[in-house]
Amino acid sequence: MKFKKKKVVKKSFNKLASKSKAQKNWLKFKENFKSYFTGLWNTQFKILIAYLGFVLLGAILLILPPATTDVAVLNNFNFLDALFSSTSAFSNTGLIVGRTSEFFTLYGQIVIYFLIQIGGFGLLSTFFLLGQAFNKIFFKGKEFRSILGHAERGQTKISSSFRILIVIFFIIFVFQLIATFTLWPIFYLVDFNENLLIPIPDNGVGFGDLSKSFWNSLFLVGSSINNAGFDLFSGASDGSLGTFFGGIGIIVQIITFILFFFGGIGYMVIFDIWRTSIFFIYKHNKKLYSILVNAKLSEEESLKPKISVYTKISLYGNLIIIVSSLIFSYAIIWISFENFDGNISNVNDNASWVQQKLTGIISIDGVLVDTGKKFSTSEVNFAIFFNTMSTRSAGFSTFNMGNMAESTKALFSMLMMIGTSPSSTGGGIRVTTLVVLIATISQKIRGYEYITFSKKKIASKTKISAAITLILAISLILISTFWITLFDSNIAFVDALFISSSAFGTTGLSTINPEAINGISFFVLIPIMIIGQLGITNSLETFNFGRHKYTKNEPEVIEFKVG
């Protein structure tokens, strides 16, 4: 009897031991499962969800009947088109499925305008200014403050202070206000139809219409400073801003250039310039300083501000790209034009835009038409300058880019891939990436042990990130190019490359009619626009899952030849 009892106790003990082991395995599984999804729900992933949610909201607002016109309905405007338009506006790209002024009503245009403004200034930065409700729902206070600049603008410093955000917002607001009230009377008083090779009865500028001219100037200014490339004009056959090619229209081009250059140099650069300017005023005119700022400088601010290395790299990179791109543009375009012998019979559908502008002769359905509108060489030269600068990220054009030579299309594709500065309203790999790569190659050739800039050593992590960014950018653009040519056989490879580079650089330029882009291509262009806006580095961190693997012992270092 005792033996049986002992056996039963042993059996129950085994069951308990077995159950305990199963529980341990289950707890371990739950811990790993929770750890995985906790890592997945990291800061960058939250930002991506917020971005996608806002883009989806914009698409829903644009697909509503009050947002679209009869023209959009006749062209079968659907939810995918709305999603593409919303993504393009929020990422400040400018690629469109149809002319904004023709496809969208005033309500739809207002939706696009706010998507551009919020996307340009930064979604999280906008919510941070509006209040702390978004902060309390999604983020812990310190986490929210620390990630704003890093995630949206590439610098943690930019949003570590509420005051800095206010300063940036104020400067941008003042710039837009001044530019809007400068363009408004020009649009109202001047008939720009004389600049179009083919006149349009209503070119959308708002000549003689007080409210329309104001709205068009406000929309163009917002689009320009955010490097969005959207406009409400109807002269698209001569480029989005072809209406302003010559004459007084050059003033419009100059204002637009100042705005998109200002928006493209980066918010940290703007803040450094502002801080230096305020210090200069404080030292030389304290009365003016008290009027402008109405505050006392802190002990830190009273010291002479130093221009950061980041600002120096950004300005240096912009200078390199501006000078080199202009040299190549002028050389390629004018060399291409030299092939024109002056015989008007050689001006055909594929004629260079320079030929068309200088001769005033265009071909319509194979028939030569003399428009009688000839532009001067100086106006053409300014157009080369404006369009080369705009190509980097702004997305405005004053001529039909489909009439460019293949070499010019390739050059502009490269400029769009490079883009503008980090922490700006532009996209691309960013100029700082290019500067780091150039410095690395240059100093490696000269045999330097360390790569330096402005007497500062560039971290190995930064060099690796620059190389990865370039490789992945080229890969994404090529994948997109092959995808487009696969499903749109009528689109040439160089045109597909141009569109893909435009999407990644959030530029919005196109060498073909945007309505000719197949809807299937949107599935690759939409994510590329978002990646171009967020940046390669931030996009990679989104899928980092917060897990960092470390080894107890440092592995052995090996060296071998590559390349």
Side-chain angles (χ1 to χ4, degrees):
M1 193 71 184
K2 289 182 180 180
F3 175 77
K4 289 183 178 180
K5 190 176 180 181
K6 188 177 180 182
K7 189 175 182 182
V8 171
V9 171
K10 188 176 180 181
K11 188 176 181 182
S12 62
F13 177 79
N14 289 337
K15 285 183 178 180
L16 183 62
S18 177
K19 187 176 180 181
S20 177
K21 187 176 180 181
Q23 282 181 334
K24 287 181 180 179
N25 290 335
W26 171 247
L27 288 174
K28 187 176 181 180
F29 172 78
K30 283 203 303 183
E31 186 179 346
N32 291 336
F33 187 82
K34 184 179 179 181
S35 175
Y36 178 84
F37 280 96
T38 301
L40 176 64
W41 190 246
N42 59 25
T43 299
Q44 297 294 340
F45 195 77
K46 292 176 187 177
I47 294 170
L48 178 62
I49 294 299
Y51 269 53
L52 295 178
F54 204 79
V55 166
L56 184 61
L57 175 63
I60 293 172
L61 294 175
L62 289 178
I63 198 61
L64 295 176
T68 54
T69 64
D70 293 337
V71 176
V73 174
L74 290 173
N75 283 273
N76 300 316
F77 186 82
N78 53 40
F79 183 76
L80 182 59
D81 294 327
L83 183 63
F84 183 81
S85 301
S86 176
T87 306
S88 181
F90 185 68
S91 63
N92 299 146
T93 301
L95 286 173
I96 53 177
V97 295
R99 294 177 187 174
T100 307
S101 58
E102 295 180 1
F103 270 54
F104 298 102
T105 61
L106 178 61
Y107 163 75
Q109 293 169 16
I110 291 173
V111 171
I112 290 175
Y113 176 78
F114 278 103
L115 285 170
I116 291 171
Q117 291 282 23
I118 295 173
F121 185 67
L123 176 63
L124 302 183
S125 300
T126 302
F127 276 102
F128 185 67
L129 287 180
L130 293 176
Q132 296 295 320
F134 188 77
N135 179 7
K136 292 178 181 178
I137 295 172
F138 289 98
F139 303 99
K140 297 178 181 179
K142 290 183 180 179
E143 178 191 7
F144 186 82
R145 285 176 176 269
S146 66
I147 66 170
L148 276 173
H150 176 68
E152 292 194 309
R153 298 291 167 228
Q155 294 287 325
T156 51
K157 185 178 179 181
I158 184 65
S159 294
S160 59
S161 167
F162 180 75
R163 183 183 171 210
I164 297 176
L165 265 184
I166 289 291
V167 167
I168 298 297
F169 179 82
F170 176 75
I171 293 173
I172 292 173
F173 176 78
V174 169
F175 257 77
Q176 293 193 54
L177 191 67
I178 294 172
T180 298
F181 282 93
T182 303
L183 290 177
W184 185 13
I186 296 176
F187 288 174
Y188 177 72
L189 297 172
V190 180
D191 183 6
F192 287 99
N193 245 331
E194 62 182 16
N195 287 332
L196 294 174
L197 295 177
I198 304 177
I200 302 173
D202 180 14
N203 58 21
V205 176
F207 172 61
D209 189 328
L210 204 61
S211 59
K212 188 173 184 179
S213 57
F214 172 76
W215 170 237
N216 287 340
S217 61
L218 181 68
F219 191 94
L220 178 62
V221 168
S223 180
S224 299
I225 201 166
N226 289 297
N227 281 255
F230 280 85
D231 67 88
L232 299 176
F233 312 115
S234 302
S237 59
D238 284 335
S240 59
L241 299 187
T243 308
F244 312 108
F245 187 89
I248 198 172
I250 290 181
I251 297 176
V252 179
Q253 293 185 55
I254 293 173
I255 294 173
T256 304
F257 165 72
I258 293 172
L259 288 169
F260 69 67
F261 180 79
F262 178 79
I265 61 174
Y267 289 166
M268 281 305 300
V269 177
I270 294 172
F271 179 71
D272 270 355
I273 294 173
W274 173 84
R275 189 175 55 172
T276 304
S277 303
I278 290 298
F279 177 81
F280 180 83
I281 295 172
Y282 176 76
K283 286 297 183 184
H284 294 85
N285 194 330
K286 289 183 172 59
K287 187 176 180 180
L288 176 61
Y289 170 82
S290 62
I291 296 173
L292 292 176
V293 182
N294 193 25
K296 292 183 179 180
L297 284 177
S298 64
E299 184 178 348
E300 181 183 355
E301 291 174 321
S302 63
L303 300 174
K304 185 176 181 180
K306 295 181 179 180
I307 301 298
S308 65
V309 176
Y310 164 78
T311 297
K312 291 179 182 178
I313 292 176
S314 182
L315 292 176
Y316 180 71
N318 275 285
L319 180 62
I320 290 176
I321 295 172
I322 288 172
V323 173
S324 58
S325 62
L326 286 175
I327 291 173
F328 280 108
S329 288
Y330 279 108
I332 292 173
I333 291 173
W334 282 114
I335 288 173
S336 300
F337 178 70
E338 281 186 359
N339 297 326
F340 178 60
D341 57 8
N343 187 352
I344 62 172
S345 62
N346 291 332
V347 180
N348 52 43
D349 290 325
N350 297 318
S352 165
W353 65 272
V354 178
Q355 297 173 17
Q356 294 182 353
K357 295 294 185 181
L358 291 179
T359 63
I361 299 170
I362 60 176
S363 176
I364 302 177
D365 297 328
V367 179
L368 293 176
V369 177
D370 189 350
T371 63
K373 296 175 181 178
K374 300 179 181 179
F375 294 94
S376 65
T377 304
S378 60
E379 289 172 328
V380 170
N381 280 325
F382 187 82
I384 297 173
F385 167 81
F386 177 84
N387 287 273
T388 302
M389 294 296 96
S390 177
T391 299
R392 290 181 53 203
S393 192
F396 296 108
S397 60
T398 57
F399 58 82
N400 188 342
M401 291 206 159
N403 290 333
M404 293 191 301
E406 303 292 293
S407 53
T408 311
K409 292 178 183 178
L411 172 64
F412 280 12
S413 296
M414 190 182 302
L415 291 176
M416 289 188 289
M417 183 191 73
I418 295 171
T420 55
S421 302
S423 67
S424 73
T425 58
I429 64 172
R430 313 307 201 265
V431 295
T432 49
T433 302
L434 185 66
V435 171
V436 170
L437 291 171
I438 292 175
T440 302
I441 295 171
S442 172
Q443 297 186 30
K444 182 68 176 177
I445 291 174
R446 288 182 286 174
Y448 290 164
E449 184 178 357
Y450 301 113
I451 309 301
T452 60
F453 186 91
S454 188
K455 298 181 180 179
K456 303 287 185 180
K457 179 183 175 182
I458 297 176
S460 298
K461 182 180 177 181
T462 302
K463 293 184 287 184
I464 294 172
S465 294
I468 291 173
T469 298
L470 179 63
I471 293 169
L472 290 182
I474 294 173
S475 300
L476 283 172
I477 291 172
L478 288 178
I479 290 171
S480 175
T481 302
F482 290 131
W483 179 277
I484 293 173
T485 53
L486 179 64
F487 292 99
D488 287 309
S489 56
N490 294 326
I491 298 179
F493 182 85
V494 68
D495 293 322
L497 177 68
F498 194 93
I499 296 170
S500 300
S501 301
S502 178
F504 177 76
T506 66
T507 305
L509 292 173
S510 178
T511 52
I512 61 172
N513 189 332
E515 299 172 13
I517 301 176
N518 193 311
I520 299 177
S521 300
F522 294 167
F523 289 105
V524 69
L525 291 175
I526 287 175
I528 284 181
M529 286 190 287
I530 294 174
I531 292 172
Q533 171 76 337
L534 286 174
I536 293 287
T537 305
N538 286 329
S539 300
L540 288 176
E541 289 178 0
T542 300
F543 302 100
N544 190 26
F545 301 154
R547 298 190 302 274
H548 302 278
K549 294 183 178 180
Y550 300 98
T551 54
K552 293 181 180 179
N553 300 318
E554 186 175 343
E556 181 185 354
V557 177
I558 60 171
E559 292 186 10
F560 53 89
K561 284 287 184 180
V562 294

